[in-house]
Amino acid sequence: MNVREYGIQCIRDEAQALLDMIPQMDENFDRAVETIYRCHGKVIVTGVGKSGHVGAKIAATLSSTGTPSFFINPLDVFHGDLGVITRDDVVLAISNSGQTDELLRFIPILLHQHIPIIAMSGNPCSLLAKYSECHINVAVSKEACPLNLAPTSSTTAALAMGDALAVALMEKRNFRPQDFAQFHPGGELGKRLLTTAQDVMITTDLPIVPPEMHLGEAIILVSKGKLGLGVAISEGVIVGLITDGDIRRAMERWQAEFFDHTVSDIMTRKPKTVSCDTKITEIQKIMNKYKVHSVLVVSPDDKLLGVVDHYSCMI
């Protein structure tokens, strides 16, 4: 095999290891999810070596999806870090063999404090499994490593099982995109989910047209506004909306008589409106549902505050 084929085989082996793990999921997984869900404190994830690296990622995923968690190295427990663990916490201990000495020395301390232990290992008969409240089996038949030595399939299995726990907890907590954004305010998704109409609306040089204005004059104002629309306002109240499309269809329909008609003859009398605090994601749903390119931002008393168009939502 060439080097690419070795890489492909590795991916195949690890993918198969994940599929083979599905029949191993039993009531222990259910109990683990329920234990974490009912936890009033934190989830303390721990592990040594490669399991520790996997544990750190699992802790980060749990924390970002609504389950307060952090990783602790069991070696640090004996040098002062034990103080961060309380009786309200749950410990998720990861070890492929389930016999890791540094981890097992940590177990009696947890048992003495009556702290629930969830074990994740590839050995249901291990000491770690024996002294845990529930054991999640992540055993693999072989490593993807050609020597069957380097943790490859086993670490992938543990990582995937951690994701499975996080996803199950998200569903149980009814965790939604808005919640995710609260934990990811700096990312693109967070920005989109937290941005409101007030943050992006256009407020200057709005194309205001009286409903009695003749369409020949209205075309000029709509063109100057560069938004492809004109907002019909009478005595400070929004009474309608005209768009480039409305004007074009009116010209096709009336032709030479077009200039005899007024804004009120073609305007949409109930344009789509939103409040200042409407999220951009919700505005996009409105645009997609009603096939419109802009919405009007209005005050509680229906006064025009601004316009949000399709391009304003592209953040």
Side-chain angles (χ1 to χ4, degrees), residues 104-127:
L104 293 178
R105 286 192 287 128
F106 182 23
I107 300 302
I109 301 173
L110 300 175
L111 294 176
H112 179 71
Q113 296 189 32
H114 303 288
I115 296 173
I117 303 170
I118 299 171
M120 185 184 294
S121 85
N123 184 1
C125 299
S126 64
L127 287 175

Side-chain angles (χ1 to χ4, degrees), residues 22 31 52 84 105 122 141 150 196 228 238 243:
I22 292 175
R31 286 205 300 270
V84 303
R105 286 192 287 128
S141 59
T196 64
I238 299 171
T243 67

Side-chain angles (χ1 to χ4, degrees), residues 238-253:
I238 299 171
V239 294
L241 177 77
I242 61 171
T243 67
D244 285 338
D246 295 328
I247 294 172
R248 184 182 66 253
R249 286 185 290 272
M251 293 180 73
E252 292 173 348
R253 177 184 177 186

Side-chain angles (χ1 to χ4, degrees), residues 163-300:
D163 288 341
L165 283 173
V167 168
L169 285 161
M170 287 175 70
E171 288 298 322
K172 197 167 182 65
R173 297 185 196 282
N174 196 31
F175 197 81
R176 291 294 172 255
Q178 291 77 6
D179 304 310
F180 189 85
Q182 296 292 335
F183 295 104
H184 298 77
E188 181 180 349
L189 176 61
K191 184 178 180 181
R192 288 174 59 80
L193 291 171
L194 297 177
T195 301
T196 64
Q198 185 172 14
D199 298 323
V200 300
M201 66 183 182
I202 300 163
T203 59
T204 58
D205 299 323
L206 295 177
I208 307 300
V209 293
E212 65 275 6
M213 177 179 282
H214 282 89
L215 292 178
E217 299 175 81
I219 288 177
I220 298 174
L221 292 179
V222 170
S223 179
K224 286 183 177 179
K226 298 180 180 180
L227 293 175
L229 57 81
V231 185
I233 293 181
S234 178
E235 298 181 355
V237 178
I238 299 171
V239 294
L241 177 77
I242 61 171
T243 67
D244 285 338
D246 295 328
I247 294 172
R248 184 182 66 253
R249 286 185 290 272
M251 293 180 73
E252 292 173 348
R253 177 184 177 186
W254 290 317
Q255 298 183 20
E257 298 176 358
F258 170 80
F259 293 98
D260 297 329
H261 290 272
T262 64
V263 169
S264 63
D265 293 331
I266 67 169
M267 68 184 185
T268 299
R269 298 184 180 276
K270 291 185 178 181
K272 302 306 174 188
T273 62
V274 298
S275 63
C276 280
D277 57 359
T278 304
K279 300 290 192 299
I280 289 299
T281 50
E282 185 62 31
I283 292 175
Q284 288 178 314
K285 290 179 182 178
I286 293 172
M287 290 181 178
N288 291 333
K289 180 178 180 180
Y290 296 102
K291 303 296 188 293
V292 296
H293 297 288
S294 303
V295 297
L296 306 182
V297 184
V298 299
S299 64

